[in-house]
């Protein structure tokens, strides 16, 4: 395995996160719930951001489509402001320790624990014909996190249960095989942006797999489309611009989107829009979103125009990631009783 002499030797705590390459564009929920925080966290942490391409195999997809989406997802991280000089940007499948640690963890996981995972239950309830990979998906996610001794994992609210099982598995491994085998991670869920709702069904989260096209804003949408989707967002009949997610889910969601992107607090927005109609709020939300998305789209187009540069980023990221992953995996192999020797890889 190669050694990167310019890899940072900081003692900063590590963070790690990833997204599935399941669509041709991230939506505003991924962006505000996760990516914006990833960018900010680069300052205080040694960050590892990967594309969860192995997870994407749980849903049968055309191989060329997965490949294309994997590249686009990585490019979107960088376009949003993840700096590949500071943070490792890589593909999960390029670091073979991910599925390797998953196997060890799977052997510590009870069937019942996986049966209780709500995302799996939701998907199968909708008639999704599940495979074993989908069932064990959270174990692979635990391996992703635990390989890097990650102190924190920045995600949206929908990933909380997966982080709980990750913590349980880390503690169990430490109890069985030695207290310092794995680092028990903390979720990093920023309350203000942890749950961006569907524009058409504001009681449900914005989701690439369940939202309609009108219900979600894609980061690839052009300004007209963004404005149109926000203009037709579902609100309510009471006419008052007030944050109350229980009874005014649609209006509250628009306030959250505005607030996170403009940096204006929700009470300030409520005061400013007091006495105005929903049309005024929607107009401004559209402006704020377009203002954030336009430079992102420009950077993304430039990155996608230069596939060699993206390959270099991913190769460098995988090399840095593999350095950390191999240290953890060597420790785990030894602790669980696998014979030391020449591991080929
Ligand atoms: P994924 O690909 O579904 O989503 C990527 C990130 O976006 C967040 N997110 C949202 N945040 C706020 N509002 C929304 N409407 C919204 N929709 C999505 C998600 O919480 C997530 O942070 N299992 C993970 C991928 C993964 C992973 C990991 C994450 C695999 N291994 C290890 C962290 C660490 C997933 O499917 O995310």
């Amino acid at each position: 395995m190669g050694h990167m002499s310019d890899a940072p030797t900081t003692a900063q705590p590590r963070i790690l996160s990833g997204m599935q390459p399941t669509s041709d564009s991230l939506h505003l929920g991924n962006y505000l719930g996760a990516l914006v925080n990833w960018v900010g966290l680069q300052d205080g942490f040694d960050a590892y951001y990967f594309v969860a391409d192995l997870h994407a195999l749980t849903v049968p997809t055309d191989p060329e489509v997965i490949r294309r989406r994997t590249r686009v997802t990585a490019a979107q991280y960088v376009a949003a402001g993840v700096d590949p000089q500071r943070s490792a940007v890589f593909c999960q499948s390029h670091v073979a320790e991910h599925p390797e640690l998953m196997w060890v963890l799977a052997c510590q996981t009870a069937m019942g624990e996986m049966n209780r995972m709500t995302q799996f239950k939701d998907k199968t309830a909708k008639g999704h014909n599940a495979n074993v990979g989908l069932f064990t998906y959270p174990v692979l996610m635990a391996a992703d996190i635990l390989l890097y001794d990650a102190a924190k994992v920045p995600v949206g609210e929908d990933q909380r249960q997966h982080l709980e099982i990750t913590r349980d598995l880390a503690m169990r491994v430490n109890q069985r095989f030695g207290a310092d085998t794995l680092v028990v991670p903390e979720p990093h869920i920023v309350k203000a942006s942890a749950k961006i709702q569907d524009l058409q069904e504001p009681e449900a989260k914005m989701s690439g797999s369940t939202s309609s096209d009108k219900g979600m804003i894609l980061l690839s949408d052009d300004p007209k489309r963004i404005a149109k989707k926000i203009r037709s967002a579902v609100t309510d009949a009471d006419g008052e611009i007030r944050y109350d997610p229980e009874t005014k889910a649609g209006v509250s969601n628009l306030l959250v989107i505005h607030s996170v992107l403009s940096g204006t607090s929700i009470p300030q927005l409520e005061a400013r829009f007091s006495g105005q109609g929903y049309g005024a709020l929607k107009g401004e939300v559209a402006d704020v979103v377009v203002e954030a998305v336009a430079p992102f789209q420009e950077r993304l187009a430039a990155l996608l125009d230069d596939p060699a540069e993206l390959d270099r980023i991913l190769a460098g990221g995988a090399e840095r990631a593999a350095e950390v992953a191999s240290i953890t995996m060597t420790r785990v192999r030894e602790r669980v009783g696998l014979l030391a020797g020449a591991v080929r890889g």
Side-chain angles (χ1 to χ4, degrees):
M1 190 170 304
H3 182 80
M4 286 259 297
S5 55
D6 59 350
T9 49
T10 63
Q12 284 179 324
R14 289 202 194 106
I15 53 167
L16 166 130
S17 200
M19 298 197 191
Q20 291 197 71
T22 40
S23 81
D24 285 311
S25 171
L26 295 181
H27 56 71
L28 201 62
N30 307 133
Y31 182 69
L32 297 181
L35 199 44
V36 168
N37 300 320
W38 295 10
V39 172
L41 288 164
Q42 296 180 104
D43 290 334
F45 293 89
D46 185 17
Y48 293 76
Y49 297 132
F50 69 97
V51 181
D53 54 352
L54 294 174
H55 276 118
L57 297 180
T58 56
V59 179
T61 311
D62 180 330
E64 277 316 315
V65 172
I66 296 193
R67 250 189 292 277
R68 182 181 76 225
R69 291 176 172 173
T70 298
R71 301 182 70 85
V72 172
T73 304
Q76 286 179 316
Y77 296 175
V78 179
V82 170
D83 173 6
Q85 299 294 325
R86 282 194 288 166
S87 305
V89 176
F90 63 102
C91 287
Q92 184 185 31
S93 66
H94 289 175
V95 182
E97 283 85 352
H98 288 246
E100 187 180 1
L101 180 59
M102 179 203 171
W103 178 255
V104 174
L105 295 175
C107 297
Q108 316 303 321
T109 309
M111 297 286 286
E113 286 177 303
M114 291 296 100
N115 273 327
R116 284 195 293 276
M117 292 285 115
T118 52
Q119 287 209 348
F120 179 76
K121 283 200 286 195
D122 289 351
K123 283 194 176 149
T124 46
K126 281 181 199 125
H128 192 106
N129 203 354
N131 53 53
V132 175
L134 188 69
F135 184 64
T136 55
Y137 177 117
V139 186
L140 180 57
M141 178 158 165
D144 298 336
I145 296 166
L146 298 174
L147 262 183
Y148 298 92
D149 293 339
K152 283 187 195 294
V153 185
V155 286
E157 183 60 41
D158 60 350
Q159 299 299 315
R160 190 182 286 281
Q161 194 185 34
H162 291 152
L163 286 177
E164 273 162 22
I165 186 83
T166 302
R167 286 170 54 83
D168 288 348
L169 285 171
M171 289 188 271
R172 189 172 307 155
V173 165
N174 287 348
Q175 201 181 23
R176 289 184 183 163
F177 302 106
D180 54 354
T181 307
L182 297 170
V183 170
V184 181
E186 297 284 342
H188 179 87
I189 300 174
V190 177
K191 207 162 166 264
S193 57
K195 213 162 169 237
I196 302 298
Q197 304 294 79
D198 183 299
L199 297 176
Q200 289 298 315
E201 292 172 57
E203 273 77 31
K205 72 167 179 179
M206 190 179 285
S207 156
S209 52
T210 56
S211 291
S212 66
D213 181 56
K214 278 179 79 183
M216 65 177 162
I217 291 176
L218 296 175
L219 296 186
S220 57
D221 284 343
D222 63 39
K224 265 171 83 180
R225 213 176 165 79
I226 291 174
K228 193 166 169 221
K229 286 181 182 178
I230 292 176
R231 225 181 305 123
S232 55
V234 168
T235 50
D236 54 58
D238 112 321
E240 203 186 326
I241 297 180
R242 183 165 46 83
Y243 180 77
D244 180 356
E246 295 298 320
T247 61
K248 296 170 69 66
V251 171
S252 301
N253 193 36
L254 293 174
L255 285 168
V256 165
I257 293 170
H258 191 312
S259 172
V260 176
L261 283 172
S262 68
T264 318
S265 75
I266 288 184
Q268 275 174 317
L269 289 174
E270 286 172 334
R272 216 172 75 210
F273 283 105
S274 149
Q276 298 193 55
Y278 294 157
L281 173 65
K282 287 177 169 178
E284 257 201 42
V285 172
D287 290 346
V288 168
V289 173
V290 167
E291 228 170 275
V293 166
F296 168 89
Q297 289 181 350
E298 261 175 53
R299 287 192 294 267
L300 181 63
L303 281 154
L304 292 176
D305 256 0
D306 189 353
E309 173 59 11
L310 192 59
D311 285 344
R312 269 194 297 278
I313 290 173
L314 291 174
E319 197 167 351
R320 266 173 69 185
E323 273 187 50
V324 180
S326 72
I327 293 170
T328 309
M329 205 55 229
T330 301
R331 187 169 71 238
V332 170
R333 277 195 209 106
E334 195 264 322
R335 295 284 170 89
V336 302
L338 301 175
L339 203 58
V343 176
R344 293 159 58 87

